[in-house]
């Protein structure tokens, strides 16, 4: 299948129908819609350029660099939305997401899917990209729940410490809350995957050349791997940020309080 610029222009003609209706009934909305379309086009052009480089040179190191860029961008979003100081969470989040996504991607490609070239851009980029997106959306909930609970209800933590518990034991209830905030929506989303997400991902797998049965198996494995990567990333983030979030006496640093 070959798509030319003419095909792209023909595709853009689809916007004429909603554009005419919006122009007829709400011209202010038309301006906002036009700005959104231009912004989307610029973003897609940038993404398309990156993907062209990745697929053109098909280098393992280039693929890993692309994943690192995604991780850094995701870590910035995680820090801003979790309302945490960057010096406490930035490096732990980067390390945790990179390790978890890379490890689960490698397990999928080498142990489950087993394509002819596991680390090629054709396989590594879409698989790691799907995992990275799921990890980010769930990590925000987990990390924010963990530190919000410590800020708002720290008395049980200090009580357990005062009664001889280790810091790991005293933090266990807060880790449980963070995992619950991550797992409850993740498990709920799994039941909806077949209705909403599956047609999109499955169509991509089918257009990529996989037979229908293998495409379904790959989809199920990818969804389960996304949950695994999310849990692993959350646990690693909390563990790596422990020394930055607490002082030597086990008390929360002032920036978090």
């Amino acid at each position: 299948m070959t798509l030319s610029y003419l095909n792209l222009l023909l595709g853009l003609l689809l916007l004429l129908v909603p554009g005419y209706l919006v122009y007829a009934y709400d011209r202010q909305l038309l301006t906002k819609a036009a700005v959104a379309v231009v912004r989307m086009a610029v973003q897609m052009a940038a993404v398309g350029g990156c993907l062209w480089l990745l697929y053109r040179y098909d280098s393992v190191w280039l693929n890993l660099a692309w994943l690192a860029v995604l991780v850094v961008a995701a870590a910035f979003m995680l820090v801003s939305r979790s309302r945490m100081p960057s010096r406490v969470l930035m490096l732990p989040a980067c390390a945790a997401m990179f390790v978890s996504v890379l490890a689960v991607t490698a397990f999928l490609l080498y142990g489950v899917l087993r394509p002819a070239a596991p680390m090629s851009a054709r396989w590594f980029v879409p698989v790691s990209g799907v995992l990275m997106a799921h990890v980010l959306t769930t990590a925000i909930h987990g990390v924010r729940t963990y530190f919000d609970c410590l800020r708002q209800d720290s008395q049980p933590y200090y009580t357990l410490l005062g009664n001889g518990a280790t810091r790991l034991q005293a933090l266990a209830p807060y880790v449980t809350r963070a995992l619950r905030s991550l797992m409850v929506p993740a498990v709920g989303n799994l039941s909806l995957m077949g209705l909403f997400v599956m047609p999109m991902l499955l169509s991509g797998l089918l257009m990529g050349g996989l037979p229908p049965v293998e495409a379904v198996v790959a989809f199920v494995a990818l969804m389960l791997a996304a949950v695994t990567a999310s849990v692993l990333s959350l646990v690693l983030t909390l563990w790596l940020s422990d020394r930055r979030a607490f002082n030597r006496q086990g008390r929360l640093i002032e920036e978090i309080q």
Side-chain angles (χ1 to χ4, degrees):
M1 181 174 63
T2 302
L3 296 177
S4 63
Y5 292 108
L6 178 61
N7 300 125
L8 177 60
L9 293 176
L10 290 175
L12 290 175
L13 291 178
L14 293 172
L15 294 175
L16 292 179
V17 176
Y20 172 76
L21 294 175
V22 171
Y23 177 79
Y25 292 97
D26 191 346
R27 297 186 181 182
Q28 292 182 348
L29 182 59
L30 181 62
T31 302
K32 295 180 181 180
V35 172
V37 170
V38 172
R39 184 180 301 171
M40 180 196 69
V42 173
Q43 292 174 348
M44 290 299 99
V47 171
C50 293
L51 291 178
W52 180 84
L53 288 174
L54 291 171
Y55 280 72
R56 171 66 177 81
Y57 295 100
D58 202 6
S59 166
V60 173
W61 297 110
L62 198 58
N63 294 341
L64 293 176
W66 173 82
L67 178 59
V69 171
L70 284 186
V71 164
V72 172
F76 273 110
M77 294 181 64
L78 176 61
V79 170
S80 62
R81 296 189 183 184
S82 61
R83 302 187 295 273
M84 287 292 295
S86 58
R87 77 171 191 85
V88 173
L89 197 59
M90 188 65 188
L91 288 179
C94 286
M97 286 190 286
F98 187 84
V99 170
S100 60
V101 171
L102 182 60
V104 176
T105 299
F107 178 81
L108 267 182
L109 294 179
Y110 285 96
V112 180
L113 302 179
R114 304 179 68 180
M119 290 299 291
S120 65
R122 177 175 179 266
W123 287 96
F124 183 85
V125 170
V127 169
S128 61
V130 170
L131 296 185
M132 190 68 247
H134 194 277
V135 164
L136 174 61
T137 55
T138 54
I140 291 173
H141 294 292
V143 171
R144 187 163 57 189
T145 298
Y146 177 78
F147 286 106
D148 282 350
C149 290
L150 278 172
R151 291 191 191 101
Q152 300 166 7
D153 188 22
S154 60
Q155 189 58 44
Y157 166 71
Y158 292 118
T159 300
L160 289 172
L161 281 182
N163 290 329
T166 64
R167 190 162 64 186
L168 181 61
Q169 292 171 334
L171 289 173
Y174 302 94
V175 175
T176 301
R177 294 182 194 179
L179 286 172
R180 185 180 293 116
S181 70
L182 182 150
M183 287 299 297
V184 169
V187 172
N189 288 338
L190 286 177
S191 62
L192 301 176
M193 290 293 184
L195 293 176
F196 301 103
V197 180
M198 186 175 182
M200 294 183 291
L201 288 179
L202 195 57
S203 60
L205 293 170
L206 291 172
M207 287 190 293
L210 283 181
V213 175
E214 293 184 14
V216 171
V217 172
F219 170 81
V220 173
L222 192 58
M223 292 300 98
L224 297 178
V227 176
T228 302
S230 298
V231 174
L232 181 60
S233 176
L234 174 62
V235 173
L236 284 176
T237 299
L238 299 183
W239 179 63
L240 292 174
S241 63
D242 183 76
R243 292 187 177 181
R244 295 171 177 265
F246 298 87
N247 59 25
R248 294 181 179 180
Q249 289 73 38
R251 299 186 64 85
L252 282 170
I253 63 174
E254 295 181 359
E255 290 177 277
I256 297 178
Q257 295 177 357

